Amino acid sequence: AIRMTQSPSSLSASTGDRVTITCRASQGIGSYLAWYQQKPGKAPKLLIYAASTLQSGVPSRFSGSGSGTDFTLTISCLQSEDFATYYCQQYYSYPLTFGGGTKVEIK
Amino acid sequence: EVQLVESGGGLVQPGGSLRLSCAASGFTFSSYWMSWVRQAPGKGLEWVANIKQDGSETYYVDSVKGRFTISRDNAENSLFLQMNSLRAEDTAVYYCARRSSSWPYSDYWGQGALVTVSS
């Protein structure tokens, strides 16, 4: 199985900050990577697919980049509603696997 | 509006069985692969299973192979997960999710159903 490693596991930031989360795959996955946002007690929400394509309705302050084994999710100007946990997922091969998550907390 | 509503969760003893259901609406259910994804309390997400539009192909994570069965009823717009030989480590919120039309990431999720395996 492809292992997905996210870093950091948590971070503290302030509204207006630029935040970057990284995700590394244990083997090359091309651009077959998605990012999800999850708030406490809620279902995950798709933010980005194909490593850099924004899902319809997702604010443009979210962006994704990378290919192969190294990927990043960037929030350009953190808003209050962005405090949540973020997960990457590879869909290059079965079993589909997620990163361990990055919790973005208020500083 | 796409809606996915899970039901059937609850408390079950180790070794027991449970069947989760997911009622889909707001899209042509029979045109999409579907998935189950779970989340143990305080932990991250774990993909469990996928099923093709007509049910002819299924995929499972190794930890549930031989114990869980994903199925669907396109006439009823419903997805199911039959869980047998349940273990404490199967305790989780189980999400029903629609797979995108092109690749196996999930573009819509239900609100989840809690399954607790405990004596």
Side-chain angles (χ1 to χ4, degrees):
Chain A
I2 298 174
R3 183 182 179 95
M4 306 301 292
T5 303
Q6 280 184 241
S7 61
S9 57
S10 66
L11 64 91
S12 296
S14 301
T15 303
D17 285 353
R18 181 183 182 90
V19 168
T20 299
I21 298 168
T22 64
C23 178
R24 175 164 289 175
S26 61
Q27 65 184 75
I29 59 170
S31 296
Y32 297 109
L33 185 100
W35 289 97
Y36 301 89
Q37 176 193 65
Q38 187 180 34
K39 296 181 179 179
K42 300 295 186 181
K45 172 188 173 183
L46 176 66
L47 297 177
I48 287 168
Y49 60 94
S52 61
T53 303
L54 212 60
Q55 171 71 347
S56 175
V58 174
S60 59
R61 63 181 179 273
F62 290 92
S63 64
S65 65
S67 67
T69 60
D70 294 315
F71 303 86
T72 61
L73 172 70
T74 299
I75 310 172
S76 60
C77 183
L78 200 64
Q79 300 299 300
S80 57
E81 60 266 32
D82 301 335
F83 292 97
T85 300
Y86 295 84
Y87 295 93
C88 62
Q89 180 204 24
Q90 67 81 19
Y91 52 93
Y92 177 80
S93 67
Y94 287 106
L96 309 179
T97 47
F98 290 88
T102 296
K103 186 174 184 179
V104 177
E105 299 176 298
I106 300 172
K107 182 182 282 185
Chain B
E1 178 192 4
V2 172
Q3 286 200 330
L4 298 167
V5 180
E6 300 92 339
S7 60
L11 175 64
V12 60
Q13 292 189 337
S17 298
L18 208 59
R19 188 193 198 208
L20 299 181
S21 300
C22 172
S25 61
F27 65 102
T28 305
F29 180 74
S30 60
S31 296
Y32 287 85
W33 284 72
M34 295 295 294
S35 303
W36 288 99
V37 177
R38 68 184 178 182
Q39 186 170 37
K43 301 298 184 182
L45 300 168
E46 180 182 39
W47 169 77
V48 174
N50 274 11
I51 186 167
K52 194 176 179 179
Q53 291 92 329
D54 61 359
S56 62
E57 288 183 42
T58 57
Y59 297 90
Y60 298 90
V61 68
D62 281 352
S63 59
V64 309
K65 281 180 184 175
R67 300 188 300 122
F68 289 12
T69 302
I70 187 172
S71 62
R72 63 192 297 161
D73 183 339
N74 287 341
E76 296 293 328
N77 293 333
S78 293
L79 177 72
F80 306 101
L81 186 67
Q82 177 66 43
M83 302 182 291
N84 299 331
S85 303
L86 282 161
R87 306 165 180 167
E89 54 265 34
D90 296 318
T91 294
V93 173
Y94 284 75
Y95 295 101
C96 163
R98 189 183 84 169
R99 207 202 84 159
S100 83
S101 57
S102 52
W103 293 102
Y105 58 86
S106 296
D107 57 2
Y108 287 93
W109 298 63
Q111 86 289 350
L114 176 62
V115 172
T116 303
V117 184
S118 175
S119 54

